[in-house]
Amino acid sequence: MAIYNPKSMHAEEFINDEEILETLKYAEDNKNNVELIDSILEKARPRRIGSETHCAGLTHREASVLLACEIPEKTEQMYELAREIKLAFYGNRIVMFAPLYLSNYCVNGCLYCPYHAKNKHIARKKLTQDEVRREVIALQDMGHKRLAIESGEDPVNNPIEYILECINTIYSIKHKNGAIRRVNVNIAATTVEEYRMLKDAGIGTYILFQETYHKKSYLEQHPTGPKHDYDYHTEAMDRAMAGGIDDVGLGVLFGLEMYKYEFAGLLMHAEHLEAVHGVGPHTISVPRVKHADDIDPDVFDNGISDELFEKLIACIRIAVPYTGMIISTRENQSVREKVLGLGISQISGGSRTSVGGYCEEERPHDSEQFDVSDQRTLDEVVNWLMKLGYIPSFCTACYREGRTGDRFMSLCKSGQILNCCHPNALMTLAEYLADYASEDTRRVGYELIENELKKIPKDKVREIATQNIEAIKTSNSRDFRF
């Protein structure tokens, strides 16, 4: 019998197939065990200790019981608990970002991605630095401050030197009041040395989706190319952290394998990072397989319904209460609206998933990595969020002030991060409203800010936030460190 060892650095020990299968059996056997389910929910509930709020989180096995539960009353209790946890640690803030595709050249054979090497009719493109500049200016003109750069894996066309050059170009562009303040990076698994180079370049979070934790399925879905190496890919976050990157983002592509298996594997990976490095994932993404050029999602027979998707998100939030959760424009407006309160803390807006797409007048479909379901502009998404009672946040202060890794998590786990994030979210929203918003969005936004300022205790923080927001309204200066 294999022994699950979250402290091991070997992929097949911290993502242990036998342990996952035993977990799924345990969850199935106990899915209607009301006493056990109630005890798990009680363990996960936020608790006030003095002036701080703490959450115990759940093990992958405990969380799998909740996911397997089929009792409607208990499912609703899970949703209520997920909302409570989300509010306790992330409040009503939603961080905004956009993807920036640098190159779709790729040597891998991934069956679910149109960039796979055998796709001979997709338009291949790699941005020059002048094109990167134009894309970034287009994103700045929307109001974006945070990007996630994306690139296919191709050591000839997309070497680390190219990625580093692009990052330097992105940070160097100051257009009107625009500036990209945080560049997250989603590129293929690489070496400790190259992760150290990314860290030195000033990246934010390093993001890498596992796609599937089921090794047999993984090898089938990645038949050719360097990504075929399951262990090298799965151990990438350990190398990234060894290279000094302390904010890493996990994710699976739901639909490739049984969702319960992926859920358990994802949580085991989070447990491993916490056990070995003292800090779990900064973010978890929840993409689903979507249609794209050369890709038919119906070919994959593990797709999940919207209802199951909502439950997955709620259970992840309960299990890892301090981790940010990301949903992209793969999902439509209706789905995104339903899951915002259940745990999502970051969303994209105005996204284009093709190389050079932001400078195109029409949305190009022939080179998109996936079809964008939510095609609204950033202004429309911001307006929508505010009317739902959320604060769209463009804040990057934690990254800029060095509150990353265990420093961020220590503040988050005590609930103290709210003292930083809430006023900064309001100030960056004020920046957006002053510089980029439509008339209606500006009206809705300033009313929201006025109401939210009243919720900040009457102390120095509220005073400073109010003064800065007034200064933003009347000044073209954007030197605040948000």
Side-chain angles (χ1 to χ4, degrees):
M1 175 180 174
I3 298 175
Y4 166 55
N5 182 8
K7 293 187 177 182
S8 171
M9 301 293 280
H10 298 291
E12 291 186 65
E13 290 189 59
F14 66 80
I15 306 296
N16 183 279
D17 178 71
E18 188 171 342
E19 167 58 18
I20 293 178
L21 295 178
E22 289 180 1
T23 291
L24 299 187
K25 183 179 185 307
Y26 175 81
E28 182 66 21
D29 291 344
N30 287 279
K31 65 182 181 182
N32 295 316
N33 185 337
V34 173
E35 184 177 354
L36 176 61
I37 291 166
D38 284 345
S39 69
I40 293 171
L41 291 173
E42 184 59 30
K43 175 189 174 183
R45 203 168 302 284
R47 287 174 172 77
R48 294 288 295 178
I49 302 176
S51 61
E52 299 181 350
T53 301
H54 292 268
C55 254
L58 296 176
T59 66
H60 63 277
R61 186 164 287 209
E62 292 167 332
S64 292
V65 172
L66 297 188
L67 185 61
C69 174
E70 297 176 345
I71 306 171
E73 177 189 351
K74 296 303 171 186
T75 298
E76 186 52 44
Q77 288 177 16
M78 293 175 211
Y79 289 177
E80 291 173 4
L81 179 56
R83 294 185 187 101
E84 183 182 354
I85 292 172
K86 163 75 191 313
L87 197 59
F89 294 99
Y90 286 90
N92 59 343
R93 303 179 312 282
I94 302 293
V95 172
M96 309 303 301
F97 77 96
L100 173 58
Y101 282 75
L102 302 176
S103 171
N104 61 8
Y105 284 97
C106 192
V107 298
N108 289 311
C110 311
L111 301 184
Y112 51 83
C113 178
Y115 294 174
H116 66 84
K118 290 184 179 180
N119 188 349
K120 301 302 182 184
H121 59 81
I122 192 172
R124 300 288 177 174
K125 184 174 177 60
K126 169 186 174 181
L127 297 181
T128 65
Q129 296 310 303
D130 283 343
E131 288 171 329
V132 170
R133 186 178 303 277
R134 290 196 291 272
E135 289 284 284
V136 170
I137 288 173
L139 284 158
Q140 289 176 348
D141 281 343
M142 293 182 199
H144 278 295
K145 306 295 184 187
R146 178 189 302 240
L147 301 183
I149 60 173
E150 318 267 351
S151 175
E153 183 171 10
D154 187 324
V156 174
N157 287 292
N158 314 325
I160 190 66
E161 291 77 13
Y162 171 69
I163 302 299
L164 296 171
E165 186 180 11
C166 290
I167 293 169
N168 182 64
T169 296
I170 293 166
Y171 278 139
S172 72
I173 300 166
K174 305 294 184 285
H175 173 67
K176 297 180 181 178
N177 284 336
I180 301 303
R181 297 168 174 168
R182 180 175 176 123
V183 177
N184 298 333
V185 175
N186 185 354
I187 62 170
T190 187
T191 63
V192 173
E193 180 183 359
E194 293 194 352
Y195 284 126
R196 191 170 290 118
M197 295 164 73
L198 289 171
K199 174 67 174 180
D200 292 343
I203 73 164
T205 304
Y206 172 66
I207 302 164
L208 183 67
F209 297 166
Q210 179 63 26
E211 318 299 3
T212 174
Y213 284 100
H214 191 283
K215 185 170 184 177
K216 182 175 181 293
S217 293
Y218 182 95
L219 297 176
E220 291 171 350
Q221 294 293 338
H222 307 92
T224 59
K227 196 170 179 177
H228 179 74
D229 190 332
Y230 175 89
D231 291 349
Y232 188 77
H233 187 86
T234 310
E235 295 161 9
M237 294 309 185
D238 295 289
R239 294 194 301 278
M241 287 187 159
I245 299 175
D246 49 7
D247 282 355
V248 298
L250 303 180
V252 295
L253 185 55
F254 285 105
L256 298 183
E257 185 48 64
M258 296 179 297
Y259 71 93
K260 292 179 181 178
Y261 191 102
E262 304 291 27
F263 176 79
L266 181 65
L267 296 185
M268 290 169 82
H269 202 167
E271 291 167 4
H272 163 71
L273 296 178
E274 185 82 41
V276 173
H277 304 284
V279 57
H282 188 71
T283 58
I284 289 177
S285 299
V286 287
R288 288 192 286 181
V289 176
K290 293 291 182 179
H291 180 271
D293 179 271
D294 197 45
I295 302 298
D296 180 0
D298 292 336
V299 170
F300 305 94
D301 56 5
N302 290 295
I304 56 175
S305 66
D306 291 350
E307 291 73 23
L308 269 177
F309 189 54
E310 293 168 31
K311 191 175 183 182
L312 268 167
I313 289 171
C315 288
I316 292 172
R317 170 51 64 219
I318 294 169
V320 282
Y322 313 113
T323 296
M325 291 186 67
I326 301 174
I327 194 166
S328 76
T329 49
R330 284 176 182 263
E331 302 297 340
N332 62 38
Q333 176 180 342
S334 175
V335 170
R336 301 217 294 176
E337 184 167 328
K338 288 177 181 177
V339 299
L340 283 172
L342 296 177
I344 296 299
S345 59
Q346 294 188 28
I347 69 170
S348 51
S351 301
R352 300 266 174 121
T353 67
S354 52
V355 181
Y358 292 107
C359 288
E360 302 283 346
E361 290 187 13
E362 298 294 330
R363 182 179 296 274
H365 291 285
D366 61 343
S367 63
E368 287 186 312
Q369 191 187 34
F370 56 85
D371 286 355
V372 173
S373 298
D374 188 344
Q375 299 193 7
R376 291 173 297 168
T377 66
L378 177 61
D379 189 79
E380 289 170 332
V381 173
V382 167
N383 190 304
W384 164 71
L385 286 171
M386 293 190 299
K387 288 177 178 177
L388 291 175
Y390 294 103
I391 305 170
S393 174
F394 297 85
C395 181
T396 61
C398 285
Y399 159 69
R400 298 174 75 189
E401 297 296 334
R403 292 190 294 266
T404 59
D406 57 358
R407 295 170 295 287
F408 171 82
M409 282 298 174
S410 65
L411 287 170
C412 192
K413 289 181 178 182
S414 65
Q416 297 303 308
I417 197 68
L418 290 169
N419 297 328
C420 303
C421 292
H422 194 77
N424 282 342
L426 295 176
M427 289 185 279
T428 58
L429 175 58
E431 282 188 320
Y432 173 82
L433 297 175
D435 294 340
Y436 306 105
S438 64
E439 182 177 346
D440 182 61
T441 298
R442 192 175 293 120
R443 177 188 60 79
V444 173
Y446 284 139
E447 182 178 329
L448 175 70
I449 288 173
E450 183 178 347
N451 291 332
E452 289 292 332
L453 280 172
K454 295 174 184 177
K455 299 178 183 179
I456 300 175
K458 293 183 179 181
D459 58 12
K460 199 67 176 176
V461 173
R462 179 175 176 179
E463 180 183 342
I464 292 172
T466 302
Q467 290 173 352
N468 281 345
I469 288 169
E470 290 304 312
I472 289 166
K473 290 179 180 180
T474 58
S475 171
N476 285 326
S477 173
R478 292 294 178 264
D479 295 328
F480 307 100
R481 291 191 62 79
F482 305 141

